[in-house]
Amino acid sequence: MKWKKIALLNAGLAMSLALTACSSGQQAQPQPGGDKQGEKVKIVFARGKDVTGATQQLVEAFKKTHPNIDVEVREMPADTGQSHDQYVTMLSAKSSEIDVFDLDVIWPAEFAQAGYLLPLDRFIEEDKINLKDYIQGAVEAGNFEGKQWTMPKFIDTGLLFYRKDVVKQPPKTWDELIQQAKSLKGQGGTQFGYLMQAKQYEGLVCNFLEFISSYGGKILDDQGNVVVNSPETIKGLKKMMEVVKSDFVPKNITTFTELESHTAFIEGQSPFIRNWPYQWALAQDPKQSKIVDKVGVSPLPAGDKGSAATLGGWMSGINKYSKHPKEAWEFLKFMTGPEGQKITAVKGGSAPTYLPLYDDSEVKNASPLFANKDFVKGISAAVPRPTSPVYPKISEVIQIEVSKALAGQQTAEQAVQNMEKKIKEVVGK
Ligand code: GLC
């Protein structure tokens, strides 16, 4: 077993993210459930497509301890932006068709301000949930104007997964990645050298942020000023353009989201992929993967300012118009509590936000990431996207301008100039 350390220097944060390069609370009590004794209540839980089977297992486990609450899962699109728009349509019409739903880490400010969520403070207090047991950044992401609107579910951070049977030593820098991707393409049954998410959608913003942060670029500064037009951002974007326009990524890489990229990876088509922690569980699932036991994971390659990972993740909230807030809370509490998060970690491969789970042996066995104490430290220092009720508009500008640059319709310099102008209009600064 071999551990790699890479210093991540970004936004004044010095962090060390050591990742493996080897193969290697409060328990929900049975509840009476229904409004009246013995009456079964059905709640609807909405979340994006789950390819791991963890959601089904979680719902079954909940039903066992809560026989009077039935949970129907509504599958939303895999693309977070498409899910977002469907929720906004539903919730702005005050619909009660869903009770509990998962929110991307970038939504709570917007959804809280729009009045779509039920504040959870009273439930948290009554059930004596200790928020200190959770990764603080994930708790804070669901806190807006002094109230807690969501409970953290899992946390995401961008990582480099690689094929141990093809790659000798994972690359430390983007230039090394480019070299290796070029020379390894075609080896060990692969067709490509590198996979990432380059479609015009939220995942593109995450990949862009990693490139620019690794060269010291930023979108907003700590005061919320738009600082995207800098030589550092231009450098990062140029490196991203070099990768996307190379002949070692699929020709249609600008149509790739997580789904297309992870599918190609578990089919054995590439030595490298940039993806979130769930990639590990998927690659280890013999029903879906042709590369079981052949995968290693390391930090993303560094630019001249270090390696940077985008902070992602999901939380859960209650629809303000739910007709069953009590039952909705019971499910949310279970899902984001120790038992639910353990299923999400072990079966789904996603990183817990409930800290004591990092001492649980089954969780530690589920992924080399979870057994590595520096992983949690690293995750807390990952680069967040701007927190703002107008985040979707900021994201849209970035998506459009980066896509144009990747399509060769504008230079990196023009892209960041346009971003600066349009993001200033959106945030009013
Ligand atoms: C993952 C992240 C989420 C991000 C999305 C982009 O689901 O957890 O935060 O927005 O990927 O595709």
Side-chain angles (χ1 to χ4, degrees):
M1 179 176 289
K2 199 167 176 190
W3 298 88
K4 287 248 148 285
K5 285 217 173 190
I6 281 194
L8 183 150
L9 296 162
N10 184 61
L13 290 167
M15 70 163 237
S16 128
L17 174 61
L19 294 169
T20 185
C22 77
S23 60
S24 75
Q26 62 279 42
Q27 179 79 34
Q29 294 301 316
Q31 296 290 324
D35 291 337
K36 289 184 207 122
Q37 191 74 28
E39 192 182 311
K40 199 161 186 165
V41 165
K42 189 179 89 179
I43 58 167
V44 177
F45 164 51
R47 60 150 293 151
K49 188 177 176 64
D50 177 8
V51 292
T52 67
T55 303
Q56 213 40 51
Q57 191 172 317
L58 195 146
V59 167
E60 292 309 321
F62 175 77
K63 284 184 186 168
K64 268 194 196 136
T65 46
H66 300 74
N68 289 338
I69 307 177
D70 194 15
V71 182
E72 181 191 311
V73 178
R74 170 149 340 161
E75 190 177 90
M76 302 294 280
D79 178 329
T80 169
Q82 286 172 15
S83 281
H84 169 273
D85 296 352
Q86 289 190 19
Y87 286 124
V88 170
T89 306
M90 210 188 285
L91 301 174
S92 60
K94 304 188 167 55
S95 164
S96 60
E97 65 194 282
I98 60 170
D99 299 285
V100 179
F101 63 106
D102 280 0
L103 290 90
D104 196 336
V105 71
I106 49 189
W107 304 345
E110 178 198 0
F111 280 33
Q113 195 178 62
Y116 299 158
L117 294 164
L118 197 66
L120 303 178
D121 306 82
R122 187 172 56 88
F123 295 119
I124 293 171
E125 207 174 297
E126 276 173 15
D127 282 337
K128 299 192 176 53
I129 293 189
N130 186 2
L131 292 177
K132 295 217 169 72
D133 283 338
Y134 291 79
I135 292 180
Q136 284 315 288
V139 173
E140 279 156 25
N143 198 291
F144 184 72
E145 295 187 336
K147 286 191 181 147
Q148 195 65 35
W149 302 91
T150 58
M151 282 293 287
K153 189 170 166 180
F154 63 85
I155 198 155
D156 266 341
T157 181
L159 294 160
L160 183 73
F161 295 86
Y162 62 92
R163 284 273 296 282
K164 285 184 302 171
D165 55 330
V166 180
V167 176
K168 277 204 198 90
Q169 185 77 42
K172 290 201 187 67
T173 64
W174 288 113
D175 290 332
E176 278 177 34
L177 173 97
I178 291 170
Q179 264 174 13
Q180 289 199 26
K182 269 186 195 150
S183 64
L184 296 177
K185 176 184 157 184
Q187 288 189 25
T190 62
Q191 302 165 34
F192 312 114
Y194 185 59
L195 298 164
M196 58 185 286
Q197 298 78 42
K199 185 186 164 182
Q200 186 172 322
Y201 83 117
E202 186 58 35
L204 179 71
V205 179
C206 299
N207 282 251
F208 168 72
L209 192 59
E210 284 160 353
F211 275 103
I212 66 163
S213 304
S214 71
Y215 287 90
K218 285 182 184 185
I219 298 165
L220 305 183
D221 68 10
D222 296 343
Q223 284 74 46
N225 301 305
V226 183
V227 293
V228 71
N229 187 358
S230 69
E232 291 82 10
T233 311
I234 292 170
K235 244 188 190 175
L237 178 55
K238 282 191 172 158
K239 197 51 71 182
M240 182 180 195
M241 289 159 74
E242 188 181 337
V243 171
V244 169
K245 291 177 177 177
S246 73
D247 64 0
F248 57 75
V249 296
K251 280 201 179 61
N252 56 345
I253 190 76
T254 54
T255 63
F256 272 46
T257 67
E258 287 83 0
L259 198 71
E260 292 76 18
S261 49
H262 76 222
T263 305
F265 189 63
I266 60 176
E267 288 281 324
Q269 295 174 6
S270 173
F272 296 112
I273 183 173
R274 177 263 172 225
N275 207 354
W276 310 104
Y278 79 92
Q279 176 68 74
W280 181 271
L282 202 60
Q284 286 299 91
D285 178 358
K287 287 202 203 89
Q288 308 191 56
S289 166
K290 294 187 181 150
I291 53 168
V292 174
D293 289 336
K294 289 184 176 162
V295 177
V297 57
S298 82
L300 283 168
D304 54 22
K305 292 282 167 22
S307 158
T310 296
L311 181 67
W314 289 78
M315 32 201 62
S316 303
I318 298 176
N319 175 4
K320 186 166 141 199
Y321 302 101
S322 163
K323 298 213 169 75
H324 307 291
K326 265 196 330 210
E327 287 77 13
W329 167 251
E330 285 308 320
F331 178 63
L332 191 154
K333 180 175 73 174
F334 177 87
M335 178 163 63
T336 59
E339 206 175 334
Q341 285 210 24
K342 184 167 171 175
I343 296 171
T344 303
V346 174
K347 178 84 180 158
S350 286
T353 53
Y354 184 72
L355 288 161
L357 283 178
Y358 288 95
D359 295 323
D360 181 294
S361 56
E362 275 178 77
V363 170
K364 286 204 273 192
N365 280 338
S367 164
L369 295 168
F370 308 155
N372 180 350
K373 58 181 172 14
D374 289 328
F375 174 68
V376 189
K377 269 195 240 155
I379 232 170
S380 327
V383 188
R385 283 159 279 172
T387 310
S388 160
V390 292
Y391 177 73
K393 292 208 172 103
I394 301 177
S395 170
E396 197 188 340
V397 169
I398 299 171
Q399 291 176 36
I400 291 172
E401 299 306 328
V402 173
S403 293
K404 278 192 190 161
L406 298 180
Q409 291 163 5
Q410 63 182 358
T411 62
E413 286 81 1
Q414 285 164 334
V416 301
Q417 268 168 32
N418 290 338
M419 277 186 228
E420 178 182 37
K421 183 168 162 277
K422 293 187 189 170
I423 297 175
K424 277 186 177 162
E425 283 164 19
V426 167
V427 301
K429 282 202 191 187

